[in-house]
Structures are given as C-alpha cells and as structure tokens.
Amino acid sequence: MSVQPETETGAQSTVAGETPEEGVYSFASMEAKWPQVWEDLKVFTPVDDGSRERRYVLDMFPYPSGDLHMGHAEAFAMGDVVARYLRQKGFDVLHPIGWDSFGLPAENAAIKRNAHPSEWTYANIDTQAASFKRYAISADWSRRLHTSDPEYYRWTQWLFKRFYERGLAYRKDSPVNWCPKDLTVLANEQVVNGACERCGTPVTKKSLNQWYFKITEYADRLLDDMSELQGHWPERVLAMQRNWIGRSEGAHVRFAIEATDGRAERGVTVFTTRPDTLYGATFFVVAADAHLALDLVTPEHHDALMAYREKVKALSDIERQSTEREKTGVFTGRYAINPLNGEKLPVWAADYVLADYGTGAIMAVPAHDQRDLDFARAFNLPVRPVLNTGGEDPVETGIATAGEGTLMNSGELDGLSKAEAIPAAIDILEKLGTGEKFVNFRLRDWLLSRQRFWGTPIPIIHCAECGEVPVPDDQLPVTLPENLRGEALSPRGTSPLAAALEWVNVECPNCGRAAERDTDTMDTFVDSSWYFLRFVSPHYTEGPFDPAKINAWMPVGQYVGGVEHAILHLLYARFFTKVIHDMGLLEADEPFSALLNQGQVLNGGKAMSKSLGNGVDLGEQLDKFGVDAVRLTMVFASPPEDDVDWADVSPSGSAKFLARAWRLGKDVASEPGVDVSTGDRTLRTVTHRTIADAAELLDNNKFNVVVAKLMELVNATRKTIDAGAGGADPAVREAAEAVAIILSLFAPYTAEDLWNQLGHPASVANAGWPSHDASLLVQDTVTAVVQVQGKVRDRLEVSPDISEDALRELALASENVQRALDGRGIRTVIVRAPKLVNIVPA
RNA sequence: GCCCCAGUAGCCCAAUCGGCAGAGGCAGCGGACUUAAAAUCCGCUCAGUCCGGGUUCGAGUCCCGGCUGGGGCACCA
C-alpha cells in the first residue's frame, strides 16, 4: 500500500524487504534504507573543534522501564526538531542520548525473576536504543551513557565527596518519611498527599540516621536566579519552583517562657509574617509532636500531653492535613511573655502547628489569623483585634480579618497602616534585642539515602575510631557487589547491601582497623542532577567532565521534557550546577537556558493507562503509519506544550501529506544547480516566504505552524506543476528542495528520500538552511483596508510605499466609503499606511 | 484558601505592534479521472473568539470582574 492504513493488501509499506512499486511512497523501504547511511556518515556527531558555534540540545534522558511509549515519541520528536533545525542553521549541535538506569523497578524485577537488576536494566536499554534508532532521533550515539555504569557512578561518588568536603552532604537523625510497603525512606518530594508517590501507601514517620544535601543553603539563589530563566522557561514551572522553595518574609521573635512548677525559665523563638499584630497575641502554640513540647510541659500536664501526642501519631498525614478538621490541643501549664507588652500568654501544644516549619512554635493572633481564631473558639481563649480593617469584628463573626487596616490597641504602633507597622514592629524588636527580620523557607534539605541496592553506593566508610571516612578518590568507584540477586535484594528496612558482608567489611582508609562501608545508596535524582555535564565528555577519565570542553558546551541551550519534572529534577539539577559552579569547575550557574515542556499524549481525553485500557502502542502506530507520519502527527497536532489527544488527530492524514510532499520529487524535471532566477515568480515568492516564516516560527517553538506553512508550500508547488508551468520550471525544483530541507526536521526518512530523488547526496540533514531572497518578498501592491467606524467598507490595491496623505485621499474618494458615511461629516481619519485607514464619522 | 496556565468553526488549531477573525489539517458535502472502486487532483459549507463591564477610531489580543477546564502548593504561621 502507499499510505492507506486501512487496506491490508498492497503491503509495500508494512513489509520490509518487499520491493515497492516504482513511484509509490513506501515508508518501510525508506526506514530500511537510510539508518545505515546516516550512521556511516556520522551525520549527528558534533565536530566539537570550535570551528562552528556550538549549541547543546538535550532531551530528559529516559528511564529504561520497557520499550518506548507514545510519551517518548512526543518528547523526542520535539527535541529532535530543535536539534535538526539548529544543525541546518549551521551550528555544531550536541544532541546526546543516555539512560537514567538506576532505580527501583529494576530491583523489583530482579527479585521476582531471581536475577540481578542489571540484566533487566540493560536488556531494556537495548530495546529502547533500537527503537530510538528506528525513530531516527538525530543523536550522537558515541556519547551514550548509563548512570548505572561504574564509569559514570564513579563520578557521582566523586561529586558526593566534594559536596561532603564543602559541608553540603551531612548525616543526621531525623524523623523521615517511610513507606511501609517499599520499606524505604522517601524525600518530601516523593510524598504526595501523605502517600508514597510510587505505590500509594500512606507514609509513616520513622527516625533514622540519614544523609542529606544542604540544598537549603542555596534556597535564596535558587529563587533569585529564576529571574534569568524568566521568559525562557514556562511560567508555570517557575511558579511551581517558587511555591516549592516557599520564601516567606517576616520576623523571628523571642518569647521568654516563665519558670514554673519545676521547669526553668527559657526562651522560645517564633517565626511570624505579621510582627505588626504582636499586641494581638493572646496565646502561644508549640507543635505537639516536637521535642520542644516535652521540654516545656509542666509535670502536672505531662500525662495529658503524652496522651495527646499518641492520638496525633495515630492520625495519618491525610487526616491531619485536612483543613476542615477541628482544632485540638492541650495546655502545657506554662506561660510565654510577650516581649512588647509583657503579657503572659498560655502555652498550648497542638497539631496544627508543624514541627518542621519555621521554629515549630507560633504566637497566636486569633483576631487576624483564621487558624488561631478557630483554636481560640474551640478552647475559649481571648480574641483581641489590633487592626481596624473596616470589616466585621472577628469576635462576633468567627472570621479572622487578614487584610489591610490601621493598627489599634498596639501602643506605639497605633495609627500605622499594616505596611508601615511591620517594619516598625521589627525595628522595636531589634532595639529590644528580642527579635529581627527573618526570611523563612518551606524548602527542606534533600534526603538522599535510600535503603536500596540498585543505586550509587555512598562512598563513605564508618570506622569506630575515625568516624565517617570518605573513600579515597583513587579507590573510586565503590562498585556494587555482583553476587547479590533475587530474594537477597528484597527490602528489609535496612539496605540489602548490609547482607554482602565481604563487601561491607573493609579496612579503615585512615587507621587500617576493621570498619564498615555505608550500606545506603543514593536517591536516583542524584544521578540525574549532573548527567548533562557528563555528556560533554562522556569518556573522560580524569574527572566528571573535561575542563577543556565543559564551558564550550554548557549551559544547555534547549532542554526538553515533561512537566512532571518541574520541581524535583529541575531544582536538584539547578542546585548541583550552582555547587559545581562554586567549586570553580563550571562557569555556568544555571544548567538549562531554555526549557520546553512538551504536553502529554492522551487518548480520549485521558492519560493513557493500563487500568483505563486506553493505551496506544507506539510500535503498532509505527508499523501502521511509519515513523515519519507518527512524528509529524505529534508535531502538527498542537503547540508543543499542549497535550495531544491521539483520538483527535490523524496519523493517516500525516501520511497522506508526506506522500504528497514526496511525490513532488518525481515531477521535478530540472537538474540540480539549475538557475532558479527565471522560475515562476509566484511560486518563488511562496517558497521564500515559507523559508523566512519557518525560521522565525522555529525560533519561537511554533512547530505546528511550521508544518502548516510547509503544507501550503507543497500545495502551491503542486498547483504550479499542474497549472501549466510544469516540472521543468526551475522554481519547482527550488520549492521541492526547500520542502525537503524543512521537512527534514519532522520527517527525516521522507525528507532524505526526497532529497535523494532530487539528485543530491545524503544527508539532507546537513543541507543547510536555505537563505531567503528578501527582494522576492517585496510586494508590488498591498491591500489596504478602509474602515468606517471600525467596519470594513472597502479594499484598495496600493503601492507598499504609499504615503499617508495619498492613502487618505484614495480612501475618502471611495464610493463605498461615501455611501457608508451617508452624508455625515468626518471627525477624524486614522491612517496606518499602507495597510489600513479608519474613518470616524462625526 | 493561595498561585500558575488555557478557553477562537463539529474536532485539532492559525491570527508580529491592538488593525480584514482563518493559514493548515481532520470530519462532512460536491466535482474531475475510472467500466467501477481505491489512490490522486480540484472546489465548497461551517464560528464572530466562554460571559459581563472598561479603555480605544478600532479588542481574539490590553485592563477589571466572573464562569469553565487543567495544573501546582496548602493547618507553611
């Protein structure tokens, strides 16, 4: 068959190896023919010698979960358009491919099959690699990397050590998110609505000694440097990162806690964004589950607190986080002293105050904070408004007034507006020495320890004498033991590595005594936080990357991937880049100058999923319509960032267009290099207009519109051929060559075949972007629209350089205009030569 | 509750600065070619831009207020 998928006979396109009928579009024979040619020519390997300006285009590397799916097909189609376009424009393009190949699914598969995780992993990688080659991704395969290769994770460990030396990797005991099903620790980012992101099991807390990266030290820079990304990253990604970092300006205020009932006096600091409302504080709350609550509580109230803590612990995070839940809490028996007015405030312990945000304690201002008001009403605590907002009294309504207003009942702050009172209050606190301006962040340090096997081992040895001892650089990598497989990998709450005794037991590199390796592995997000640096010199053996190359390529000019990585991966990669920059190893301090989030591929309005049974198999689509038709459909369906609903689009329509474009080649009757200046002027204008428009559209990622323009050019060329000028007209060749080059970004097989038909050697990928002749775009006449009161009343063919006065004369002389004016006078005439005149009647 | 994004023909989508609402495709209808069909080629129909205000000579585009859909954060002090 040619392109019609419904017909099962005439199967030239679906059966590779069968000789296609002469002159019939056969994607199967193209797919069989060209990959070897491209590989032999090394078309997609950058010259990397500085002779041409460099550009780095990167797709988020895949996890080898199985074969490629529709989502990969979309994402990589988009990235490939960018890479191929920049190559045509003459840049030396780095467009590498690799695999994020550590991770839990491989481990689970290994347990099930009594195998080693590497077997499953590398088999899947081979499958995906073959599919990528079929899909004609213009990648430099010589730079292929896998994060689970010791040559790679050696440098992940090396970087961990550098972080450690800078105090950016540290261990601490802390309550961690624990998934009772996967038996592993989860980062905050991996807890979704109180449940494990992976398996949905409600997450519990467990106290463990864990490794952290001190990402909070970079919170300010991660936030501030987003201004560089503004306009180049999707706004929603920046918004999500801003939300996640959660910068909050306010003050730290120190309250003295009275000595009572066997407990000594001490101070407790709170964080507040509303120091202006200090006079309205009527009680004080500490997080019930924080150690602070135990420190404060008097013996008399101790039992009640313990009972309350038990109740809180029994609640799941989901229940606890419900905002509808009634306020609960217990009195601690203690009083805090308001530093401004000396008032005694009862100290309560409650679970609506979070132990791990701010200082785990708050001053409660019920009149102006809804949560505090709810609590006050539940426990009959006083409410004192200190801000006149003009709204109804919160004491009456039960609705806290959080808006603007004027201070009252607040001593020296009285009469100030909220905006004035905040700095004034901070000023007073600073003078008293009981507080200061403070910026708080929601962001927590990055917990990187995982009690899992298939990950990068943490290169630390624990020695009874010397403590934590990093494995010396020349002993890296610390490789995973090969003899653990199957059941031995199943989760037990400690890392499976702990069972490999001959691996665990080592000599201390420091003192030589018996010591043990750290048995945790790193979160796989560590691996993917620097892979873009490794791609620059993936075979370099003296460091994570070649210093002579790194600044030539970094930063990545265009990064392409799904919005699901808007927070985790992108934030971590930015953090790593900044640290490596601070180490003096990298000039860039942002990794990705521009980011494109391609949409999802849906089917019938919903994400494809096994449970819905609406999955579309990529392999089947490729068999049925061909690689080019699938790629073209992905790109043409909608703007790259929008979702594509496979039920709404037509790969058979794409295939029809490709065949139509390809057939142009058969009609071209002139020789390569023919003088095009005598060609059909109308077609030449369309060709050059298309070349110019396409470049601008591509610069703005409007790939779908480029395809539409290309369709127009194909239609115009067809028309020229059929309307008499014929295939011998040099303009037809010029148009067909432009079609081949532009098409090469979207449909590499068809474009290469067309290019070949037109008598050119491979590869069209290196043909170079055609230059457009601006003189052909100058129009002899343009249509000027004449409006009366904003409504179109006439159209005039005028010279493009007509003067405003001349155009005004012409417009006023128009019969249609005079009829529309109907005798009314003219108030004003707006002239935008040469395109528009608007006449406003009196 | 806070924040971000998007609503244009039956459907997917175009529309530099505010300047003729329509480029392209899908679906539909009609025609040419054919004994017929497929393929191919040609042509046609279809909305006034989610709603309400405002600014303007002029608004899909800018401003204000809503509605609907999608997404993020969330007892975050």
Side-chain angles (χ1 to χ4, degrees):
Chain A
M1 79 182 179
S2 47
V3 296
Q4 222 225 354
E6 293 79 12
T7 319
E8 296 298 28
T9 54
Q12 294 103 323
S13 354
T14 52
V15 180
E18 198 171 305
T19 310
E21 187 188 324
E22 185 61 32
V24 173
Y25 178 83
S26 162
F27 65 75
S29 59
M30 293 177 198
E31 288 177 20
K33 177 177 180 183
W34 293 112
Q36 192 58 50
V37 174
W38 294 329
E39 193 168 331
D40 292 346
L41 289 172
K42 297 198 188 316
V43 181
F44 307 122
T45 303
V47 294
D48 198 8
D49 63 1
S51 61
R52 285 189 280 158
E53 200 180 327
R54 292 170 161 104
R55 281 292 145 79
Y56 189 173
V57 178
L58 184 65
D59 306 275
M60 289 183 187
F61 66 164
Y63 177 78
S65 53
D67 202 351
L68 299 184
H69 51 66
M70 296 296 281
H72 292 115
E74 160 145 45
F76 284 88
M78 299 305 171
D80 213 38
V81 170
V82 177
R84 287 175 178 273
Y85 170 58
L86 293 175
R87 223 175 266 121
Q88 294 289 18
K89 289 287 258 185
F91 294 104
D92 196 24
V93 174
L94 173 57
H95 186 223
I97 180 83
W99 277 268
D100 187 17
S101 50
F102 271 136
L104 205 46
E107 205 166 314
N108 291 337
I111 294 164
K112 206 187 276 176
R113 299 164 196 206
N114 191 30
H116 193 277
S118 66
E119 295 165 25
W120 182 89
T121 301
Y122 288 94
N124 282 345
I125 288 174
D126 285 344
T127 301
Q128 291 195 350
S131 294
F132 273 130
K133 286 182 177 172
R134 177 185 186 187
Y135 203 58
I137 291 303
S138 67
D140 176 5
W141 286 91
S142 71
R143 290 171 189 258
R144 172 174 173 173
L145 63 76
H146 317 116
T147 59
S148 56
D149 289 349
E151 303 80 68
Y152 183 88
Y153 68 72
R154 169 182 181 182
W155 300 110
T156 307
Q157 292 171 336
W158 185 92
L159 285 166
F160 174 92
K161 280 190 59 189
R162 303 291 88 80
F163 277 53
Y164 179 80
E165 288 158 6
R166 299 175 74 83
L168 293 170
Y170 67 96
R171 270 196 321 161
K172 70 173 176 189
D173 271 325
S174 68
V176 295
N177 300 305
W178 178 257
C179 174
K181 178 159 179 291
D182 290 342
L183 295 178
T184 190
V185 166
L186 301 171
N188 282 328
E189 290 83 342
Q190 291 164 330
V191 180
V192 177
N193 289 330
C196 171
E197 175 189 55
R198 197 176 294 116
C199 67
T201 310
V203 168
T204 59
K205 297 278 180 190
K206 185 171 176 174
S207 183
L208 279 180
N209 190 257
Q210 303 281 301
W211 285 99
Y212 288 81
F213 281 136
K214 210 182 253 178
I215 190 170
T216 51
E217 193 158 294
Y218 282 72
D220 256 320
R221 280 168 67 190
L222 288 167
L223 194 69
D224 294 345
D225 292 351
M226 273 192 267
S227 60
E228 295 171 34
L229 307 175
Q230 202 92 42
H232 307 285
W233 280 37
E235 191 48 49
R236 61 177 168 156
V237 172
L238 296 175
M240 281 188 237
Q241 294 219 350
R242 250 181 241 120
N243 261 338
W244 192 261
I245 295 168
R247 182 185 154 102
S248 182
E249 283 194 29
H252 267 166
V253 184
R254 277 178 294 284
F255 284 71
I257 308 287
E258 273 193 338
T260 344
D261 216 355
R263 295 275 155 150
E265 179 177 319
R266 54 165 297 174
V268 173
T269 302
V270 302
F271 173 73
T272 177
T273 54
R274 297 294 303 278
D276 56 313
T277 62
L278 253 165
Y279 282 90
T282 55
F283 58 102
F284 193 97
V285 190
V286 298
D289 53 335
H291 204 265
L292 179 62
L294 294 179
D295 291 347
L296 293 181
V297 72
T298 60
E300 192 190 338
H301 292 87
H302 183 265
D303 290 350
L305 175 66
M306 291 313 284
Y308 179 64
R309 281 167 62 106
E310 284 309 310
K311 256 201 307 201
V312 169
K313 236 184 249 173
L315 289 175
S316 71
D317 274 10
I318 299 164
E319 290 170 301
R320 178 174 168 167
Q321 284 169 9
S322 163
T323 45
E324 264 86 83
R325 210 162 61 82
E326 288 200 2
K327 293 285 180 285
T328 59
V330 291
F331 180 48
T332 61
R334 304 291 295 277
Y335 292 87
I337 308 298
N338 186 327
L340 287 198
N341 58 12
E343 249 178 28
K344 278 174 64 171
L345 308 177
V347 177
W348 289 69
D351 66 352
Y352 86 93
V353 172
L354 307 177
D356 56 357
Y357 181 77
T359 63
I362 63 160
M363 63 176 207
V365 185
H368 307 295
D369 182 287
Q370 191 60 48
R371 294 154 302 181
D372 295 344
L373 184 54
D374 292 344
F375 192 85
R377 288 165 78 91
F379 293 97
N380 247 330
L381 294 159
V383 178
R384 184 197 309 140
V386 290
L387 199 71
N388 182 1
T389 62
E392 289 179 60
D393 186 355
V395 181
E396 309 288 325
T397 61
I399 297 164
T401 51
E404 296 297 324
T406 309
L407 273 289
M408 57 186 186
N409 302 325
S410 294
E412 58 275 58
L413 299 175
D414 277 354
L416 296 179
S417 70
K418 171 180 166 183
E420 292 163 342
I422 291 174
I426 292 172
D427 204 44
I428 295 165
L429 290 167
E430 282 177 354
K431 283 190 180 121
L432 293 171
T434 56
E436 59 277 317
K437 189 175 157 67
F438 191 80
V439 177
N440 199 55
F441 292 93
R442 205 195 72 102
L443 183 70
R444 320 289 161 80
D445 277 343
W446 171 10
L447 196 167
L448 69 108
S449 301
R450 294 293 180 274
Q451 290 69 48
R452 281 290 180 166
F453 173 80
W454 192 231
T456 302
I458 292 171
I460 295 285
I461 289 166
H462 299 285
C463 170
E465 288 295 316
C466 315
E468 287 166 6
V469 182
V471 175
D473 283 355
D474 61 12
Q475 290 174 31
L476 298 180
V478 177
T479 54
L480 288 166
E482 309 248 337
N483 56 356
L484 284 184
R485 51 196 296 129
E487 242 335 275
L489 302 175
S490 62
R492 300 177 170 78
T494 55
S495 173
L497 284 171
L501 293 178
E502 72 288 3
W503 182 88
V504 170
N505 294 314
V506 289
E507 277 181 11
C508 172
N510 227 10
C511 66
R513 280 180 238 237
E516 294 186 354
R517 290 193 190 281
D518 197 297
T519 57
D520 285 350
T521 53
M522 298 185 207
D523 181 1
T524 54
F525 276 114
V526 181
D527 308 322
S528 56
S529 290
W530 73 280
Y531 76 107
F532 43 91
L533 302 174
R534 185 67 183 165
F535 270 138
V536 160
S537 48
H539 311 298
Y540 189 66
T541 55
E542 307 304 309
F545 44 79
D546 185 346
K549 294 287 186 193
I550 194 70
N551 295 320
W553 289 109
M554 283 299 290
V556 174
Q558 179 69 65
Y559 198 33
V560 180
V563 73
E564 66 272 17
H565 292 114
I567 300 172
L568 308 183
H569 164 59
L570 290 171
L571 194 66
Y572 294 155
R574 294 182 60 219
F575 167 58
F576 258 61
T577 300
K578 287 180 188 304
V579 175
I580 293 167
H581 167 87
D582 289 353
M583 284 160 57
L585 300 178
L586 175 67
E587 281 172 22
D589 75 343
E590 281 291 337
F592 315 120
S593 307
L595 174 68
L596 175 63
N597 282 143
Q598 86 286 350
Q600 267 189 298
V601 187
L602 314 177
N603 191 17
K606 297 216 168 71
M608 294 182 196
S609 75
K610 275 190 191 127
S611 55
L612 287 173
N614 65 341
V616 175
D617 184 78
L618 175 61
E620 282 173 22
Q621 297 293 308
L622 297 178
D623 290 345
K624 203 166 165 187
F625 302 108
V627 167
D628 283 356
V630 169
R631 289 178 58 141
L632 189 74
T633 302
M634 293 288 183
V635 171
F636 181 52
S638 60
E641 58 273 14
D642 285 8
D643 290 346
V644 175
D645 194 329
W646 206 247
D648 289 339
V649 296
S650 170
S652 64
S654 301
K656 206 164 100 180
F657 164 72
L658 290 170
R660 188 172 154 83
W662 179 84
R663 274 196 308 271
L664 292 179
K666 294 199 306 163
D667 287 308
V668 173
S670 56
E671 292 303 308
V674 68
D675 176 16
V676 292
S677 63
T678 58
D680 180 85
R681 173 70 190 242
T682 309
L683 179 58
R684 293 203 69 207
T685 300
V686 177
T687 302
H688 286 255
R689 166 103 279 153
T690 305
I691 292 166
D693 287 353
E696 193 179 326
L697 290 163
L698 285 158
D699 289 335
N700 293 296
N701 291 345
K702 296 187 176 182
F703 309 147
N704 55 325
V705 190
V706 177
V707 175
K709 298 279 180 204
L710 189 58
M711 287 173 170
E712 278 183 76
L713 177 56
V714 168
N715 290 344
T717 311
R718 179 85 266 149
K719 194 171 260 181
T720 306
I721 294 167
D722 291 348
D729 190 314
V732 170
R733 163 165 291 276
E734 185 183 37
E737 291 184 350
V739 167
I741 293 169
I742 300 172
L743 193 61
S744 74
L745 317 190
F746 313 105
Y749 291 108
T750 307
E752 192 70 74
D753 220 70
L754 174 56
W755 192 243
N756 181 53
Q757 261 194 96
L758 291 171
H760 293 292
S763 166
V764 67
N766 290 333
W769 191 256
S771 56
H772 70 270
D773 181 347
S775 70
L776 284 169
L777 304 185
V778 176
Q779 292 162 284
D780 296 333
T781 63
V782 297
T783 305
V785 172
V786 184
Q787 301 174 329
V788 176
Q789 217 166 7
K791 293 207 169 74
V792 180
R793 295 301 181 188
D794 204 356
R795 288 161 219 275
L796 305 170
E797 287 301 311
V798 299
S799 153
D801 45 16
I802 189 169
S803 72
E804 290 204 354
D805 288 344
L807 184 57
R808 180 185 292 112
E809 291 294 308
L810 277 177
L812 290 172
S814 156
E815 272 180 42
N816 290 341
V817 167
Q818 289 305 324
R819 200 176 308 128
L821 282 171
D822 195 22
R824 288 176 291 180
I826 292 165
R827 178 139 63 100
T828 181
V829 180
I830 316 281
V831 184
R832 293 283 178 274
K835 291 179 72 179
L836 178 122
V837 179
N838 190 13
I839 298 162
V840 187

